[in-house]
Amino acid sequence: MNVLPRASRRVVVRARPFDFALDPGRAALVVIDMQRDFIEPGGFGAALGNDVSLLASAVAPTRALLDAWRARRWPVVHTRESHAPDLSDCPPAKRERGSPQLRIGERGPMGRLLVRGEPGCEIVPELAPVAGEIVIDKPGKGAFHATGLHDELQRRGVTQLVFAGVTTEVCVQTTMREANDRGYDGLLVEDATASYFPAFKAATIEMIVAQGGIVGWAAPLAAVQAALQAAPPADTAAVPH
Ligand code: TIU
């Protein structure tokens, strides 16, 4: 079998601030916190006073990304912002901030807010993880803080992260910045992320791509889909796992 050198198997995503060379098998999809507690009424996002309907637009594009990644058997990571039932991993500064209708750990219509094992903490059914995908429970806004995510990615030889999820300027942006500092190239898929504040989503995208990609890249879903159609599945990319 003719095995092409790695560089020639890369596929180009038309992105800002410039093209992103996607490396088959080394690019993980990271879906941030697409949990009922943020997306559905009665959860943590609503308790903070937000209009949660603003997040619905990200669900179908994220599903399309998942379908494309799964078809190529490339690595998929899902994160959940969540805490142990005894809240031992929830700093008081996080729980006691402000005057929400309900605090983390208090019981709402979908169970205790942001507590692992409760219905509201689960990922929405359309985007539920499937066997073999990595699920990271994270106590912070960033997915690298106090988790094993970096080790999981290193073990799989992942060097690029393509991001979807909510909310753009809180957990998605925090994670992209953490990833950038750890040496990953990060691409945000614009249609597959949403905020309770549309202006913050727009500003975050601009912050990421400014200054020659100071945090990373951004591209529409269609550009990522077009690139993936030209890309091989992981097991023909000769990735040393
Ligand atoms: N409040 C808000 O915009 N976001 C969060 O609290 N967590 C995440 O972004 N996941």
Side-chain angles (χ1 to χ4, degrees):
M1 190 179 87
N2 246 352
V3 178
L4 295 168
R6 281 216 70 80
S8 67
R9 285 193 303 265
R10 292 193 173 199
V11 288
V12 169
V13 180
R14 299 285 172 212
R16 287 195 299 146
F18 40 78
D19 289 349
F20 186 93
L22 197 57
D23 196 351
R26 292 191 179 270
L29 176 63
V30 182
V31 180
I32 303 281
D33 300 356
M34 291 296 274
Q35 295 161 262
R36 298 182 65 198
D37 259 334
F38 294 107
I39 294 173
E40 296 185 17
F44 179 65
L48 295 176
N50 296 304
D51 174 2
V52 297
S53 70
L54 286 160
L55 302 194
S57 66
V59 175
T62 301
R63 178 55 196 257
L65 275 175
L66 276 170
D67 289 345
W69 242 256
R70 287 167 177 166
R72 274 152 198 80
R73 298 187 294 283
W74 292 4
V76 174
V77 178
H78 304 259
T79 70
R80 300 186 292 207
E81 185 175 346
S82 64
H83 296 282
D86 65 2
L87 302 184
S88 55
D89 57 0
C90 183
K94 180 177 184 183
R95 182 172 149 80
E96 291 162 14
R97 182 92 37 92
S99 311
Q101 289 150 20
L102 287 174
R103 292 186 189 278
I104 294 168
E106 292 182 337
R107 193 167 294 281
M110 293 190 288
R112 296 178 64 206
L113 296 188
L114 295 190
V115 170
R116 282 172 216 137
E118 300 286 339
C121 196
E122 296 303 323
I123 291 166
V124 294
E126 304 94 305
L127 308 178
V130 301
E133 294 178 347
I134 301 164
V135 179
I136 298 287
D137 282 304
K138 62 185 189 54
K141 302 304 183 191
F144 289 86
H145 167 67
T147 72
L149 178 58
H150 189 52
D151 287 346
E152 293 275 6
L153 296 173
Q154 297 286 293
R155 206 173 323 131
R156 289 167 174 78
V158 170
T159 61
Q160 301 179 330
L161 301 176
V162 174
F163 287 95
V166 295
T167 61
T168 317
E169 79 281 11
V170 182
C171 290
V172 176
Q173 182 174 209
T174 303
T175 302
M176 282 192 76
R177 289 175 181 275
E178 288 182 327
N180 193 37
D181 284 347
R182 285 165 175 77
Y184 298 93
D185 284 329
L187 169 71
L188 177 60
V189 184
E190 296 174 12
D191 329 49
T193 184
S195 170
Y196 301 121
F197 304 89
F200 290 175
K201 170 178 169 174
T204 299
I205 291 169
E206 296 309 313
M207 282 181 225
I208 286 166
V209 306
Q211 304 183 65
I214 196 79
V215 178
W217 287 254
L221 170 66
V224 180
Q225 286 175 312
L228 263 85
Q229 270 157 21
D235 60 354
T236 61
V239 178
H241 281 296

